[in-house]
Amino acid sequence: MSGIFALTIDHWFAILFYIGGMKTFKNERLAALLERERATYVETHPQSRALYESADHLFGRVPMTWMNKWAGGFPMSYDTAHGAIITDVDGHTYIDFALGDTGAMAGHSPEPLVRAMQQRLGVDGGVTTMLPTEDGEWVAAELSRRFGLPSWSFSLSATDANRWLLRLVRLATSRPKILVFSYSYHGSVDETFVVVGPDGAPALRPGGVAPSFDPTTTTRVVEFNDIEALQRELGYGDVAAVLMEPAMTNIGIVLPQPGFLDAVRSACDATGTLLIFDETHTFSAGPGGATRFYNVSPDAITIGKSLGGGVPCGAYGLSADLAQRVLNAVSEGADIVDVGGVGGTLAGNAMSLAAMRAVLGEVLTDDVWEPMIARATTLAEGIAATAARHDLPWSVTQLGARCEYRFSSPAPRNGGESAASHDGPLEDYIHLACVNRGVLITPFHNMLLTCPATTDEDVAAHQRVFDEVIDELMA
Ligand SMILES: Cc1ncc(COP(=O)(O)O)c(C=O)c1O
């Protein structure tokens, strides 16, 4: 069987393209092409290489160790980034579909953000003072309008938003555990590094770096889209909250099956469990994120990254009921003001708030999603057509402005299946061949994201490059 079948789920812009077929490429050919692309990369990036090799004081030779994820052996150092275009120190220009893996979903340095930063830093002054500015209420009100939750607090990362919110839900419910879906990612939050192991029991996620406690003792875990397993685990009555992305985005994209999110909401209600949506990536679904897109009402939401256009920020929103339960616990002695474990000195600072106001008010406005999503659809359709032309058993999944391909078909239904479809050398070849031809996709899995500055020409250029890269693999 081969061909493309578009299956609409809930709405036209959450689409799976199933690509059937049995044909594959030869591994020797893949190895040879990867070798060639690596040689080309080294040859054409002498400045980036020199900077990398002379970075003797950087642990791992990069400012953050995950920057070593890029497939070429060393990352490109970049010089400029504007809109959807990055230029590196060797003078190469890239169309950027990685977009700081969502931190730059607003595009790089959009003019309103630059203006707001200049105003805050250069004119009004004061990055951080331990005092509020009027931007805070504006941003919180805008988040309320978009996501439907009335009360918001700020952090400097989505990780911290999750970390602090987990404390609040345990405080409000007096329950010790949380539940996550296998192979989810919510930042470096210890409790979340649990997967469903080969025997079906909770297991440490492979590669975990010395968590401060054994997360299998704090966390229940089930596969995404498995409502029976979720009901069973919540039935123990010890889970404070389910922490989930409404669609998984960090092990490829895994969409919720029709009715799954409503069933999750019902299972939470039936067991007195709170429901947290992590919208950090699923914000790509629309101006009110996947919460609005799927029309489900969580008790709390976390978000970060793109909200401030890449300026450090994060936020968590609480329902009126949850906020009241936290306040009740506060009146009995819980400390959310001083050293109780929620908050950070720089959280909610004036610069971060000014950035969020500029991005929400003038860049990621309600009207920009439609063209961003249309371009992501064109990307997804083009990738699916190329794979189908070669009879490759791959699948392409789209969530609003974000799309992703996986090396399996039909598209994985949960994190375990998606993890199993990973193919390191194939991914490295495609990623690096794209870099060598001026296109960036996320260095983690195969995600492409559009921003307001992404153009039809950018999308067409990706298609030309992708065709060339896959045609050569299959020749
Ligand atoms: C869904 C989700 N939540 C939270 C985070 C953590 O974000 P940050 O690293 O900016 O704290 C990520 C990062 O990729 C994410 O994908």
Side-chain angles (χ1 to χ4, degrees):
M1 183 186 79
S2 70
I4 307 168
F5 302 92
L7 172 69
T8 302
I9 296 181
D10 290 344
H11 199 276
W12 65 269
F13 56 80
I15 307 170
L16 294 180
F17 299 90
Y18 290 105
I19 305 158
M22 296 307 296
K23 194 168 148 193
T24 58
F25 43 83
K26 292 215 167 52
N27 280 339
E28 312 84 72
R29 179 162 183 80
L30 173 63
L33 287 174
L34 181 53
E35 197 53 37
R36 187 196 68 188
E37 293 300 328
R38 284 197 173 125
T40 303
Y41 180 78
V42 169
E43 193 184 318
T44 53
H45 294 78
Q47 288 300 332
S48 283
R49 185 180 182 188
L51 286 172
Y52 185 78
E53 288 180 349
S54 64
D56 292 333
H57 300 88
L58 287 174
F59 181 51
R61 303 194 174 279
V62 283
M64 181 62 233
T65 45
W66 60 252
M67 290 181 187
N68 277 321
K69 179 72 180 160
W70 290 92
F74 57 90
M76 303 81 75
S77 284
Y78 81 91
D79 203 9
T80 64
H82 296 285
I85 302 296
I86 291 180
T87 305
D88 73 13
V89 290
D90 287 293
H92 304 295
T93 293
Y94 305 91
I95 302 166
D96 186 12
F97 294 103
L99 292 170
D101 201 341
T102 313
M105 190 171 80
H108 297 291
S109 293
E111 189 278 328
L113 178 63
V114 174
R115 191 171 11 97
M117 294 299 88
Q118 284 169 341
Q119 180 72 32
R120 183 71 258 169
L121 290 181
V123 181
D124 299 335
V127 171
T128 193
T129 61
M130 298 185 102
L131 297 169
T133 58
E134 66 176 55
D135 289 337
E137 172 57 20
W138 190 96
V139 176
E142 178 64 7
L143 291 170
S144 296
R145 180 187 76 80
R146 290 179 181 228
F147 293 102
L149 293 175
S151 297
W152 291 81
S153 240
F154 296 101
S155 61
L156 289 181
S157 68
T159 300
D160 273 345
N162 282 321
R163 240 197 292 263
W164 302 342
L165 184 60
L166 288 185
R167 285 185 189 274
L168 295 185
V169 296
R170 288 199 297 261
L171 179 72
T173 60
S174 302
R175 292 181 177 185
K177 295 201 174 185
I178 64 153
L179 184 142
V180 297
F181 290 100
S182 195
Y183 287 98
S184 58
Y185 183 70
H186 299 282
S188 53
V189 179
D190 278 338
E191 288 100 321
T192 60
F193 288 97
V194 187
V195 295
V196 176
D199 57 356
L204 296 184
R205 185 171 181 150
V209 180
S212 47
F213 46 80
D214 177 352
T216 62
T217 63
T218 60
T219 308
R220 296 189 178 279
V221 60
V222 297
E223 289 286 7
F224 199 72
N225 280 321
D226 186 346
I227 194 63
E228 285 80 23
L230 181 73
Q231 287 164 336
R232 182 190 68 228
E233 294 298 311
L234 295 188
Y236 291 104
D238 57 0
V239 174
V242 172
L243 171 60
M244 68 183 292
E245 292 186 274
M248 299 185 84
T249 67
N250 283 298
I251 187 79
I253 297 174
V254 181
L255 295 175
Q257 287 174 346
F260 178 65
L261 294 177
D262 287 330
V264 171
R265 178 70 271 181
S266 301
C268 287
D269 290 343
T271 53
T273 311
L274 296 166
L275 178 57
I276 304 170
F277 277 179
D278 181 341
E279 286 273 17
T280 306
H281 281 178
T282 52
F283 192 27
S284 67
T291 300
R292 277 295 154 96
F293 175 54
Y294 289 115
N295 196 25
V296 178
S297 301
D299 301 292
I301 284 175
T302 53
I303 189 167
K305 294 198 185 187
S306 60
L307 214 50
V311 174
C313 73
Y316 52 97
L318 311 176
S319 69
D321 178 61
L322 175 55
Q324 189 54 54
R325 288 165 74 180
V326 171
L327 291 176
N328 292 346
V330 167
S331 69
E332 287 164 18
D335 175 7
I336 57 168
V337 172
D338 198 349
V339 289
V342 176
T345 312
L346 302 184
N349 74 67
M351 188 178 77
S352 177
L353 288 166
M356 287 186 263
R357 182 172 186 165
V359 168
L360 289 174
E362 300 180 68
V363 188
L364 291 179
T365 47
D366 289 358
D367 54 322
V368 297
W369 262 267
E370 196 181 316
M372 279 162 61
I373 290 168
R375 293 191 174 108
T377 302
T378 308
L379 284 169
E381 286 174 346
I383 293 165
T386 305
R389 186 158 50 77
H390 289 292
D391 239 357
L392 285 164
W394 297 357
S395 52
V396 189
T397 308
Q398 184 184 354
L399 182 73
R402 163 192 311 276
C403 70
E404 170 103 31
Y405 46 99
R406 300 299 284 171
F407 306 125
S408 67
S409 179
R413 288 161 306 173
N414 58 46
E417 283 181 14
S418 198
S421 73
H422 175 71
D423 182 331
L426 178 56
E427 209 164 273
D428 281 358
Y429 164 66
I430 297 175
H431 286 207
L432 195 54
C434 285
V435 166
N436 285 337
R437 289 157 183 76
V439 168
L440 302 187
I441 70 172
T442 186
F444 301 92
H445 45 100
N446 309 309
M447 189 280 296
L448 293 84
L449 181 67
T450 58
C451 71
T454 306
T455 64
D456 291 338
E457 291 71 39
D458 296 337
V459 170
H462 171 270
Q463 188 59 39
R464 279 195 301 278
V465 165
F466 190 72
D467 272 336
E468 184 184 328
V469 168
I470 302 302
D471 286 354
E472 244 201 304
L473 180 65
M474 302 305 295

